[in-house]
Every structure is written in structure tokens, then in C-alpha cells.
């Protein structure tokens, strides 16, 4: 916030099936507010016209909507309009989280200005983009670690169930 002035951010990553962008992490807004939660938690189909987020992920090209563009309805799908209204976004910089060798970005990061105009220059946007490019692999790796932990817990549960079944079945008659 001190460096570039953004109040909030959210990271949306492509789901396991590769069909949707889903909310992964956020900062600077309250998900206990039902209207905000509905607006930012909706899975976004990976189709160019579904959302600016999907467009950024699929094209792997950033998008910046300054204060003069945020209320132009022709720029937004219904998904985007709902989020802009719920969060009262003044400016939004959306950057792809690019994974080498992939056709579609692994996700996107939104940097929001909620309380004031930022009027970012192209140089500042390039600086931010370089920073995000440098941390993208870490975000992707962290997500994979979390997915592996979920799989490990599921596998341990299955193993416990199999052990329990095997100890209760009488094997002598077999």
C-alpha cells in the first residue's frame, strides 16, 4: 500500500479442472459481508467474455482500469460489475500469474484502489508487473503445496478406513 497505494488485492487461480478462476487469497476487504462474498467468490468460467479476469488469464496480458473507466459498463461483464459495485473499486490493475510453458496463466492478481484514485503511470504499471512476475512462481508453488496437503489428508483417511475394514473382516473363512 505504501509503495503503490493499493488498498486491497485478491488472487484468483485456475481450479484443478482448468475450467474456472476461483478466489484463492484476498486482503483489504471483508468476506463476512454477504454481498462482497457473493461478488468475489463466484467461480469465473475461463471464457474471454465471462470476465476481465478470464480475459487476462487467457491472453496473459494485464489490464488497468483507472477511475475514469471503472463505471463504464461496456468494459464489464455482470460478474465484473457486481464486484466493482460490492467493493466500490476506484481503480483495478489485473495482472496474469504466468507459469512458464503454459498457454493460459495459472491465475490473476487484482490490485484494487478502494479509497482513492491512483492515476498509475505506464512506468509504475511496468514496475508492478515485474514485481508480480517475480512472485508468481511462489504463489503457484504455495497453491500446489496446499493441494498436496489436501491429497495427503484424504489418502491418510482412506488408509485408516481400509485398515479399519481389514481388522473387522474375519479372514479365516476366506
Amino acid at each position: 500500500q505504501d509503495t503503490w497505494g493499493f488498498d486491497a488485492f485478491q488472487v484468483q487461480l485456475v481450479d484443478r479442472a482448468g475450467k474456472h478462476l476461483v478466489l484463492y487469497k484476498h486482503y483489504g476487504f471483508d468476506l463476512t459481508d454477504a454481498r462482497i462474498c457473493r461478488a468475489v467468490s463466484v467461480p469465473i468460467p475461463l471464457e474471454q467474455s465471462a470476465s476481465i479476469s478470464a480475459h487476462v488469464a487467457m491472453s496473459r496480458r494485464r489490464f488497468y482500469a483507472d477511475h475514469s473507466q471503472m463505471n463504464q459498463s461496456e468494459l464489464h461483464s455482470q460478474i465484473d460489475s457486481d464486484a466493482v459495485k460490492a467493493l466500490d473499486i476506484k481503480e483495478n490493475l489485473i495482472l496474469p500469474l504466468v507459469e512458464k510453458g503454459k498457454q493460459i496463466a495459472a491465475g490473476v492478481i487484482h490490485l484494487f484502489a478502494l479509497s482513492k484514485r491512483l492515476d498509475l503511470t505506464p512506468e509504475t504499471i511496468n514496475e508492478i508487473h515485474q514485481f508480480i512476475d517475480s512472485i508468481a512462481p511462489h504463489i503457484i508453488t504455495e497453491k500446489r503445496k496446499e493441494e498436496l496437503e489436501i491429497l495427503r489428508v484424504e489418502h491418510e483417511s482412506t488408509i485408516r478406513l481400509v485398515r479399519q475394514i481389514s481388522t473387522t473382516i474375519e479372514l479365516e473363512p476366506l
Side-chain angles (χ1 to χ4, degrees), residues 30-50:
D30 185 8
L31 278 185
T32 61
D33 180 318
R35 193 175 71 126
I36 291 173
C37 187
R38 273 191 311 275
V40 301
S41 297
V42 62
I44 299 171
L46 278 175
E47 301 165 3
Q48 293 275 353
S49 62

Side-chain angles (χ1 to χ4, degrees), residues 38-101:
R38 273 191 311 275
V40 301
S41 297
V42 62
I44 299 171
L46 278 175
E47 301 165 3
Q48 293 275 353
S49 62
S51 167
I52 295 171
S53 298
H55 176 75
V56 168
M58 295 181 73
S59 68
R60 298 169 45 142
R61 298 177 58 95
R62 68 185 182 219
F63 177 83
Y64 175 52
D66 68 12
H67 64 281
S68 67
Q69 298 169 312
M70 285 310 300
N71 293 320
Q72 294 178 9
S73 60
E74 65 272 5
L75 290 177
H76 305 294
S77 68
Q78 189 61 50
I79 292 170
D80 296 329
S81 293
D82 292 347
V84 167
K85 288 175 190 162
L87 292 170
D88 193 24
I89 299 170
K90 307 288 188 262
E91 295 190 17
N92 187 7
L93 176 60
I94 309 170
L95 301 154
L97 297 171
V98 176
E99 190 172 12
K100 290 183 184 198

